[in-house]
Amino acid sequence: MPELPEVETIARGLQEQITGDSIESLVILRSQPMLSQDPDVFETALLGRRFCNVSRRAKYLIFELEPQAYLVSHLRMTGKWVVAPEANESASNRMIFHLKSHRKLIYQDIRCLGKLEVVSSLKNIPALERLGIEPLSSDLTEEVLAHLLRQSVRPIKPFLMDPQKIVGIGNIYASEILFRTKIDPRRSTQQISFEEQRRLFKVIRDVLQEAIEQNGTSISDFRQVDDKKGSFQNFLQVYGKAHQACPLCEEPILRIVQSQRSSFYCPHCQT
DNA sequence: AGCGGAACCTGTCGGC
DNA sequence: TGCCGACAGGTTCCGC
């Protein structure tokens, strides 16, 4: 489900809603295969602890707890976090945290592809160590992007989605970024010109930043922590728009498959 | 070393 | 109506 802007939106919502609150009890409705650790260990590590911060790294949510512990959550395709006065009877509810404020923090996940883990140190999560560069941080520069493009040999679209290179860009934003930069998603990273690299650098940051300002993209089921929709879906130009007219030239948008994922692009505008 | 494909799951939708 | 395949916002593992 979520890419960087959606995860950032959820992190901000949770930060605002649950910081200072603590976990009184926990009901685990289903733990497999989302939990990599024993459910009893998971529960014991959480009970009584207080949320002191919620942040994002790549597409991971990091709940900082006091006394020191971290709940690390990856939503994968269909994970969601909801804060509400009471838990609704949704079939996708997987865990219900009963908070001291009497509100409920609910983890939902239709496909159960998400991952949850409690650790005493973030160093205990190898996947976090393997992550690439945060695109909105000062770590990403034109020079760094040029270097990453040069050392890779693959089409630009799967490159943009590789979290070991640049984190946070998923299937929606990869297509949107390439449309705005007018680059064909099949082009090799080796063949991206200097001018195109500069455009990519700017557009990657612009698109992600704009999507955060719109609270993410709600195409099917993404919702904020308070159940409201994001609004970046109103600004999508190609994602999910196969056969529709390109907003620039009116040619039909094409859908192709790359690395087992759909790519949407305008064959006339993107070269 | 780094790539593409399969696997991990469930739900929905369109075609026959 | 029922069945079947394709598809869905992601990552990891495996073989080449």
Side-chain angles (χ1 to χ4, degrees):
Chain A
M1 168 172 61
E3 306 181 34
L4 185 151
E6 290 74 37
V7 180
E8 179 67 27
T9 299
I10 292 171
R12 290 179 184 185
L14 289 173
Q15 164 77 8
E16 187 184 318
Q17 293 273 332
I18 66 172
T19 296
D21 217 331
S22 48
I23 304 165
E24 291 213 318
S25 61
L26 171 59
V27 178
I28 300 178
L29 301 165
R30 172 169 170 172
S31 62
Q32 290 300 327
M34 295 89 72
L35 268 193
S36 51
Q37 62 202 143
D38 183 277
D40 290 335
V41 172
F42 179 81
E43 180 172 351
T44 305
L46 289 171
L47 288 187
R49 283 195 153 88
R50 189 176 66 92
F51 292 104
C52 54
N53 198 46
V54 184
S55 60
R56 176 194 63 76
R57 167 75 173 112
K59 296 171 188 166
Y60 289 83
L61 287 163
I62 299 176
F63 300 73
E64 205 176 323
L65 300 160
E66 186 64 42
Q68 187 174 352
Y70 301 90
L71 169 60
V72 180
S73 157
H74 197 300
L75 303 170
R76 296 284 178 97
M77 298 292 258
T78 52
K80 298 167 88 170
W81 285 100
V82 181
V83 179
E86 289 300 330
N88 56 359
E89 293 286 315
S90 168
S92 63
N93 287 353
R94 307 302 178 203
M95 288 187 200
I96 301 173
F97 295 70
H98 294 252
L99 303 179
K100 193 175 181 185
S101 64
H102 300 301
R103 294 175 303 163
K104 310 295 179 279
L105 171 65
I106 306 140
Y107 179 71
Q108 303 181 329
D109 196 339
I110 296 172
R111 293 170 66 180
C112 297
L113 293 172
K115 295 291 168 194
L116 292 160
E117 193 172 356
V118 181
V119 289
S120 55
S121 164
L122 295 178
K123 298 233 184 299
N124 295 342
I125 307 216
L128 288 179
E129 306 286 317
R130 290 195 293 267
L131 290 171
I133 295 174
E134 282 289 335
L136 297 180
S137 77
S138 56
D139 292 345
L140 184 65
T141 62
E142 288 183 19
E143 292 72 26
V144 165
L145 177 60
H147 175 72
L148 290 172
L149 288 167
R150 218 179 310 125
Q151 74 177 177
S152 172
V153 186
R154 65 202 299 198
I156 183 71
K157 161 77 161 28
F159 168 86
L160 285 176
M161 293 177 64
D162 184 345
Q164 298 200 34
K165 307 286 194 305
I166 300 168
V167 302
I169 302 172
N171 212 27
I172 294 179
Y173 298 108
S175 279
E176 295 299 314
I177 287 164
L178 290 172
F179 178 75
R180 273 204 210 183
T181 49
K182 301 191 190 304
I183 298 172
D184 186 312
R186 300 167 298 177
R187 290 260 305 283
S188 163
T189 53
Q190 298 284 319
Q191 299 165 344
I192 305 297
S193 71
F194 180 69
E195 181 52 40
E196 288 168 333
Q197 291 173 14
R198 298 194 55 173
R199 291 212 301 267
L200 260 182
F201 171 76
K202 180 166 192 320
V203 168
I204 286 170
R205 296 162 67 106
D206 284 352
V207 166
L208 295 176
Q209 193 58 53
E210 288 169 29
I212 290 172
E213 284 161 17
Q214 298 295 329
N215 299 310
T217 299
S218 292
I219 282 185
S220 55
D221 63 353
F222 169 71
R223 294 293 183 277
Q224 301 179 52
V225 169
D226 58 8
D227 205 42
K228 289 185 183 134
K229 290 187 179 188
S231 46
F232 196 72
Q233 64 277 12
N234 300 325
F235 300 90
L236 296 178
Q237 302 190 90
V238 290
Y239 181 83
K241 300 189 185 292
H243 312 305
Q244 297 183 38
C246 167
L248 296 181
C249 75
E250 311 272 299
E251 284 284 306
I253 299 298
L254 293 188
R255 172 186 173 275
I256 60 172
V257 175
Q258 297 179 280
S259 300
Q260 313 176 87
R261 310 296 301 277
S262 293
S263 300
F264 299 89
Y265 73 107
C266 172
H268 177 252
C269 295
Q270 294 173 254
T271 56

